Amino acid sequence: MKKLRNKMGQSAHRLTAFVVMSLAMASDNAQAALPAPVAPSNAPAAGNWLELIKGYAKDAGLVIGLIIAVVAFLWIGWITIAKFNEARAGRAEWGEVGLTAVVAAGVMIFISFLLTEASNVI
């Protein structure tokens, strides 16, 4: 039984080595077909590396801002749902739910305004 396990283990190692070598040889062909990198949203003239870096930094800043805005929207939604559940359980009044919803809508509109302005100014 021990010899059989040993032979199966050796076969598995050989098969793994074969698969890894096959993938390594196939990767040369895969790398040759990679697409060209995408230029930033405000593409500079060819050879202007500083403007290229600035363009990528702008795009990265916009993506980070959008991620923060999504987190803020989710947080505001969570707070509003939590306040609604408190009112259903009798621990809060329905007026608090309405006030929370109005303030949440105002904050969401303000965040959207700031994102729009940031995308136009940067």
Side-chain angles (χ1 to χ4, degrees):
M1 189 71 156
K2 190 173 186 180
K3 288 183 183 181
L4 181 62
R5 275 193 231 158
N6 193 15
K7 286 192 179 211
M8 287 177 64
Q10 289 175 352
S11 297
H13 288 297
R14 286 183 185 152
L15 180 63
T16 304
F18 174 74
V19 170
V20 168
M21 289 301 293
S22 299
L23 289 175
M25 288 194 295
S27 68
D28 287 338
N29 294 334
Q31 290 176 355
L34 290 175
V38 177
S41 57
N42 54 351
N48 192 347
W49 291 100
L50 290 177
E51 290 297 320
L52 183 70
I53 293 171
K54 282 182 186 178
Y56 281 126
K58 174 191 174 193
D59 291 348
L62 290 174
V63 168
I64 290 170
L66 286 172
I67 290 170
I68 291 171
V70 166
V71 170
F73 287 159
L74 292 174
W75 189 11
I76 289 169
W78 180 267
I79 289 170
T80 306
I81 291 170
K83 187 58 79 173
F84 177 78
N85 285 333
E86 285 179 12
R88 282 184 49 204
R91 292 187 307 248
E93 294 186 19
W94 288 102
E96 294 177 30
V97 175
L99 180 63
T100 302
V102 168
V103 170
V107 170
M108 287 183 185
I109 291 170
F110 183 66
I111 289 173
S112 299
F113 170 75
L114 289 179
L115 283 174
T116 305
E117 288 299 314
S119 68
N120 292 335
V121 170
I122 293 180

